[in-house]
Amino acid sequence: MRPFSLLITSFAALATASRSADPSAVLYAELFSTAADCSGTTGIYAFLYGGGECQNLAIPSTGSARIRYNEQPDTLTLTGWTGSDCTGGEVPVGTTIGLCIPLNGTAVASWSY
């Protein structure tokens, strides 16, 4: 390998190695628009902590929600809201990882932690 090519390859490796790690997910939940038992393979939306405290993700009354990861279960609780911008009635999902919560006939317009 030529010295110049070796130098370029070394700089590329150094640049790749010095990147910072991705931030933690903190809270991640799956929102199922087509299944009340969290079994759907389509119509699945992600609620991510990084998307902001209130997220307008409409899920029909036949849907469900499941927390997949919660780094701070003592302080972060997933809640659905019947109105946009986290207004209206509350639909508590909680903090338990892996527990499927059916919406039981209540359409959810937005979600918060």
Side-chain angles (χ1 to χ4, degrees):
M1 184 178 272
R2 301 177 98 174
F4 183 73
S5 298
L6 182 59
L7 181 63
I8 296 298
T9 304
S10 296
F11 279 130
L14 180 60
T16 301
S18 64
R19 290 184 187 154
S20 62
D22 289 339
S24 172
V26 183
L27 176 71
Y28 164 61
E30 295 171 316
L31 310 174
F32 295 83
S33 65
T34 60
D37 62 356
C38 300
S39 67
T41 57
T42 62
I44 302 171
Y45 299 88
F47 178 93
L48 297 169
Y49 178 86
E53 186 173 346
C54 179
Q55 299 174 36
N56 290 317
L57 299 166
I59 302 297
S61 61
T62 56
S64 55
R66 175 174 55 204
I67 296 174
R68 288 307 231 169
Y69 180 78
N70 189 351
E71 190 175 280
Q72 302 171 16
D74 293 337
T75 57
L76 298 177
T77 299
L78 184 64
T79 302
W81 299 87
T82 58
S84 62
D85 300 321
C86 298
T87 60
E90 293 183 33
V91 179
V93 174
T95 62
T96 305
I97 295 171
L99 180 63
C100 181
I101 305 297
L103 298 181
N104 291 331
T106 303
V108 173
S110 56
W111 303 83
S112 69
Y113 54 80

